[in-house]
Amino acid sequence: MDDAGTARAAKAVAALRSLRQRGDEVELADGFTDAEMDAWGVDVPEEVRVVLREIGGLETEEHAYGFGPRGRAVFSDGYWTLGELEFGAGSLVVGTGTACWGPVVAVNPWGDECEVTVEAPEFTGWLHGFAERLADGTGVRPASGTHLVPAVPSIEVAEAEGADAELAALVGRGDSLTDLVDLRALPGYPCAVHWEPHFSTRHNTADTGSSEVQFRIVGDGRALLLTSAVSGDFLGRPVRRHTVPRDAAGRAVAQLRALAAEFPGFVTLEAGCADAVMAGWAVAVPEDVRTVFRAFGGVAVTGLPALRLLPGAPERAVDPEVHRMLGGDGTYWPLARITYGRGSALVQVRIDADTGEWGYAVSVPDQAKGLREYPDVKLIAESLADLLLTYARLARQAADRPGFTGRVSRDGGWLFPDTGGPWPRPAPVGEWAGSPDPLRAAAAELPQGTHAADLREVPIPSDLCFHRAAGWRYGALLDRLHFAGAGRLAAAIPAAG
């Protein structure tokens, strides 16, 4: 037991009771019994019990705070919600995994006004400060102060050389839309977090307004995770993506072969082909792709669409008009046909016809009418090898469950265009005139009305929906898609008229 901590808690209780005794507009709720606190499912340290035995919450004219679960309220994601901020602009939460409960964090999770401030390192200290400010008439919230700390991409934490092992363990592989605040490395309190959500509500779409920030306190109060849950809004800033290893092709081959040997009923590989066969194809085949094709010509994982890598499979047939809209011969390599609801799409690797580079893997609707009226593209991987590594990772996750019962997916929905992925904003290519970036500058020369998106700094997967762009003319029909840099930039060129 920490005597200093319990003494601090007792001072907070006394300060709150003195406010009520002098006639301030403060209502104190009854406390909790030890038996009630024991049943909460989280450890309640003695320092916190000193407060909660006496006071279960408080209410002023403008604020209401609850110190424990009553009614339907429960603990979740490593924190307890004390109450709402002013004007309903977010929540005040306290971490529940530390020895004294903390930190206390104010989070406004809505739209472009998102703000995050760590107000105090622990609950009882915050509560005593609350009572002092209320007594002095200086307000119930601490002054914002001058302390500031940046949030960092969780993928950066996961992949950093010499990374903090504890932080790295908390984020796992990391996520493109999740950023981290190290709560043990703050310069002082209160401490504002320099951070903004990855989504933007500044560009109108049919579904604008559904995005929010989801937050968790992890590692017994070590870190705050902030995730942009993008729904119905365009992305507002670049993201950090997982690094694709240089030897991705070799790793993918090794991992899939190991899975096929261990789980032959769930992972099946078809025979590959020799270099002499590849030499007769109409497109050049770079060495990393040859590494895959030599090893196998098809990959089937339970719950995922089968990939048919070699020519001749019926799934590789493409409607002539769709073929034209995709760029024609030598610009893409079909991998799979997937269905979702009543629609179907073609998974493909984009090929730079000038350099012969095989680049990003995307899926595009393969019905001419639908593609013409609603041009969509889904980015699913940085390369064929990257896609195969994803297949291997999902298969391994499923295999780690008893009997491979955890199917990786019951359909190809996550591979299908416009099924809930983040939306990069398609911009009129005129916005890129004079850009120092060669891909963007070249795209600016495309016909008037063309919209494009740079896919190099967006999450995987992402949905590129040209028809949702504010500047895409209502009722405009697609003439063709244009992919530059082997898929790193995607553009939709409308038909004339």
Side-chain angles (χ1 to χ4, degrees):
M1 183 182 299
D2 183 348
D3 292 338
T6 55
R8 182 170 54 241
K11 287 179 62 177
V13 171
L16 289 171
R17 291 199 180 282
S18 67
L19 287 174
R20 188 173 64 177
Q21 290 169 358
R22 77 177 197 179
D24 288 77
E25 295 294 328
V26 179
E27 295 293 331
L28 303 181
D30 293 338
F32 301 91
T33 66
D34 282 288
E36 288 175 312
M37 289 184 274
D38 290 341
W40 286 351
V42 298
D43 181 56
V44 186
E46 182 60 26
E47 178 176 328
V48 176
R49 288 177 185 254
V50 169
V51 174
L52 269 58
R53 289 187 189 110
E54 301 294 326
I55 302 173
L58 62 88
E59 185 173 347
T60 69
E61 291 182 347
E62 297 181 353
H63 296 274
Y65 297 114
F67 299 164
R70 286 191 166 96
R72 297 182 178 180
V74 295
F75 291 99
S76 64
D77 292 325
Y79 64 85
W80 171 251
T81 301
L82 290 175
E84 292 186 351
L85 302 179
E86 290 87 346
F87 312 111
S91 301
L92 190 67
V93 305
V94 56
T96 56
T98 60
C100 55
W101 275 18
V104 179
V105 184
V107 180
N108 174 6
W110 308 116
D112 294 326
E113 302 301 322
C114 180
E115 296 179 355
V116 180
T117 302
V118 184
E119 295 194 350
E122 43 80 27
F123 171 64
T124 54
W126 174 87
L127 191 62
H128 189 263
F130 172 91
E132 288 185 334
R133 290 189 299 273
L134 201 59
D136 295 340
T138 56
V140 298
R141 302 287 304 286
S144 59
T146 59
H147 300 295
L148 183 69
V149 66
V152 297
S154 61
I155 292 178
E156 181 178 309
V157 174
E159 297 186 350
E161 293 186 10
D164 183 309
E166 183 182 24
L167 283 181
L170 293 176
V171 299
R173 294 182 73 241
D175 173 75
S176 291
L177 297 175
T178 298
D179 297 302
L180 175 144
V181 181
D182 186 349
L183 295 173
R184 295 184 189 171
L186 302 181
Y189 300 91
C191 184
V193 176
H194 179 63
W195 179 82
E196 59 180 299
H198 287 281
F199 54 82
S200 171
T201 59
R202 293 185 293 272
H203 303 285
N204 292 332
T205 75
D207 302 318
T208 292
S210 300
S211 298
E212 64 176 2
V213 177
Q214 298 172 348
F215 51 94
R216 290 182 293 149
I217 296 176
V218 297
D220 290 339
R222 173 66 198 272
L224 173 69
L225 298 181
L226 299 163
T227 299
S228 294
V230 185
S231 177
D233 297 308
F234 290 118
L235 291 168
R237 61 187 177 99
V239 304
R240 171 70 180 261
R241 282 211 301 246
H242 293 101
T243 301
V244 179
R246 292 184 178 181
D247 60 344
R251 291 193 190 194
V253 168
Q255 291 178 21
L256 287 168
R257 278 177 167 168
L259 285 161
E262 188 176 357
F263 304 99
F266 301 99
V267 180
T268 304
L269 305 178
E270 298 177 3
C273 67
D275 285 277
V277 175
M278 288 182 262
W281 293 348
V283 296
V285 185
E287 182 57 31
D288 61 330
V289 179
R290 286 176 181 264
T291 298
V292 173
F293 287 177
R294 292 186 193 112
F296 36 73
V299 178
V301 175
T302 298
L304 288 173
L307 302 179
R308 308 298 183 192
L309 308 182
L310 303 183
E315 296 92 335
R316 296 172 54 89
V318 182
D319 175 89
E321 177 61 9
V322 172
H323 178 69
R324 183 195 67 79
M325 287 192 282
L326 291 177
D329 293 335
T331 62
Y332 68 100
W333 189 263
L335 296 176
R337 176 161 280 100
I338 58 176
T339 59
Y340 186 78
R342 297 181 179 179
S344 59
L346 183 70
V347 177
Q348 60 197 264
V349 175
R350 298 303 309 182
I351 300 174
D352 189 309
D354 295 327
T355 66
E357 178 189 5
W358 291 43
Y360 282 10
V362 301
S363 70
V364 179
D366 68 348
Q367 298 171 345
K369 182 177 185 296
L371 179 58
R372 189 179 299 112
E373 295 179 355
Y374 302 102
D376 291 324
V377 173
K378 166 86 78 165
L379 172 63
I380 57 178
E382 288 192 23
S383 64
L384 171 61
D386 185 28
L387 177 60
L388 293 174
L389 283 175
T390 298
Y391 265 52
R393 178 172 53 83
L394 294 174
R396 175 56 66 183
Q397 290 174 353
D400 288 340
R401 302 182 179 98
F404 215 102
T405 56
R407 290 166 61 98
V408 293
S409 173
R410 286 182 289 181
D411 53 44
W414 68 278
L415 293 166
F416 202 86
D418 199 11
T419 48
W423 291 346
R425 184 180 75 89
V429 291
E431 293 184 6
W432 293 342
S435 172
D437 181 85
L439 288 183
R440 292 190 173 200
E445 301 300 320
L446 292 170
Q448 185 176 6
T450 298
H451 282 62
D454 192 330
L455 301 182
R456 290 170 289 186
E457 295 179 314
V458 304
I460 294 177
S462 279
D463 282 317
L464 179 54
C465 304
F466 293 103
H467 57 92
R468 293 182 182 272
W472 186 259
R473 181 169 52 84
Y474 179 76
L477 299 178
L478 176 72
D479 175 58
R480 59 187 172 90
L481 295 173
H482 172 78
F483 292 90
R488 293 177 179 86
L489 184 146
I493 301 172

